[in-house]
Amino acid sequence: MTTIVRFAPSPTGMIHIGNARTALFNWLFALKTSGQLIQRFDDTDVARSKQEHADAILTDLAWLGIKPSAIEYQSKRFAIYDAAVAKLKAAGLLYPCYETAEELERRRKIRLSRRLPPVYGREALKLTADEISALEADGRKPHWRFLLPNFADDPFAPRRTEVHWDDVVRGPQTVDLASMSDPVLVREDGTYLYTLPSVADDIEMGITHIIRGDDHVTNTGAQIALFRALGAEPPAFGHHNLLTTASGEGLSKRTGALSITGLRESGIEPMAVASLAVLIGTSESVQPVATMEELAARFDPAATSKSAAKFDPAEVGTLNRALIHQMPFTEVQTRLAELDIDGPQAEAFWLAVRGNLETVADAATWWRIVREGPDTAESLSDEDRGFVSEAFDLLPPEPWDRGTWKIWTDAVKAQSGRKGKALFMPLRLALTGRLSGPELADLLPLLGRAGTLARRP
């Protein structure tokens, strides 16, 4: 059997690092099992769902290296949901309810005051045909609830009904259907809530594993019951822990907190995001992983903690630097060319500067320094200016290589008597205009003798 998983966000905003965690868990699970990932958009909320958000999500997933085998939109699949509703109604498992939100809240408070669980009491099942007619004549339109199989003969006498599943992430799980209300599947205006379209699609698409955040654990019992009511065997479920901000706050697409688009536009590497999103909150150490294949090899959903994990943007920055500092020229060559960094010196330049970069785009600054000269306001004292000018008289003849820097500074040291910071810092300032940066032994051959002399103060 081919493994088929799905990532099913609602296109109501930019996906954040927490959404990406779910997408990556599914993608890596598919990679490990030679399976497929379906990208499914939960866009039945027509008012809030936007195609521009769906397009942005697809762009973010592609940037992360996630490659869905199909893209589906729930807004184009209403016939499937209508058929599911008809099947449930025919079986007597979907019943109309006419209570207003205020009436339901009042009943909930009464149950709580009596120390009873605040579950729906199925009062709508007691309505007579005349009562229903009167409600509808009064303008009431029903919402529709799924009758949970948590009773023997009398729906008003629910009994403990355990639903068990072996969670891919959390291990054995149990939910008691008697502890929950019959879920609303269809609103008063005929639109669908999340549960029915999701289950109907999972059946029709042959989803074998549902991997999602652990905020859905309590929903799973009712969804398993709905799968069976629609004549399907439920897929396997896995519920991973959620990510929060460093301060412990939840993430939201609407606020754009830690959005993938924002991380991408700030120059963060996709594998830095993927490494942290997948490995944080697991028993694996959080380290930069260079390829998705390597990350898939390390990925073990069962190694995920049950408690929430905090995402600190500083950590992704650390991973990003580590990846860039080891990145081969072949991997970044095209991106450098887009920054006008090309030609015979491009590879040597990259190897010289990568260890000092925060992002790949930062290489453009150092390319400009190498090609055009210092571009900052750091200046030499009068004493250092004279020292540097004399030092330039000692530049060795070409050809130059990495050893030229030592030959030159040894000669300068012998003549001037300077050493350490007093020797090297003025030379660095004259050559780059910066107090820190790449090894000058690597930069000097890129400057060449003529280019170095052009920086003489």
Side-chain angles (χ1 to χ4, degrees), residues 182-232:
D182 292 337
V184 177
L185 302 188
V186 186
R187 299 182 182 91
E188 288 84 351
D189 62 1
T191 59
Y192 295 112
L193 280 84
Y194 162 82
T195 302
L196 186 134
S198 180
V199 170
D201 278 340
D202 289 335
I203 294 171
E204 199 272 339
M205 294 176 182
I207 302 299
T208 62
H209 295 75
I210 296 173
I211 301 175
R212 55 191 182 178
D214 61 14
D215 52 335
H216 287 285
V217 169
T218 55
N219 304 333
T220 302
Q223 290 174 6
I224 287 174
L226 184 56
F227 273 101
R228 291 174 175 153
L230 290 171

Side-chain angles (χ1 to χ4, degrees), residues 47-125:
R48 291 175 52 221
S49 299
K50 306 293 183 185
Q51 184 61 46
E52 63 202 63
H53 295 319
D55 293 340
I57 290 170
L58 291 173
T59 297
D60 288 341
L61 296 180
W63 177 73
L64 285 168
I66 296 173
K67 303 172 183 176
S69 60
I71 300 171
E72 301 284 353
Y73 293 84
Q74 288 191 330
S75 59
K76 300 177 181 179
R77 301 171 60 80
F78 283 109
I80 293 170
Y81 316 143
D82 294 344
V85 164
K87 186 171 184 176
L88 293 172
K89 287 181 178 179
L93 298 177
L94 197 64
Y95 63 96
C97 304
Y98 293 85
E99 297 93 345
T100 65
E102 292 76 15
E103 289 169 344
L104 290 172
E105 178 62 17
R106 186 164 58 251
R107 288 180 186 172
R108 189 184 74 86
K109 289 180 178 179
I110 290 173
R111 290 185 67 88
L112 286 172
S113 69
R114 295 174 179 173
R115 300 182 182 276
L116 296 172
V119 298
Y120 179 62
R122 293 172 172 162
E123 288 83 0
L125 290 176

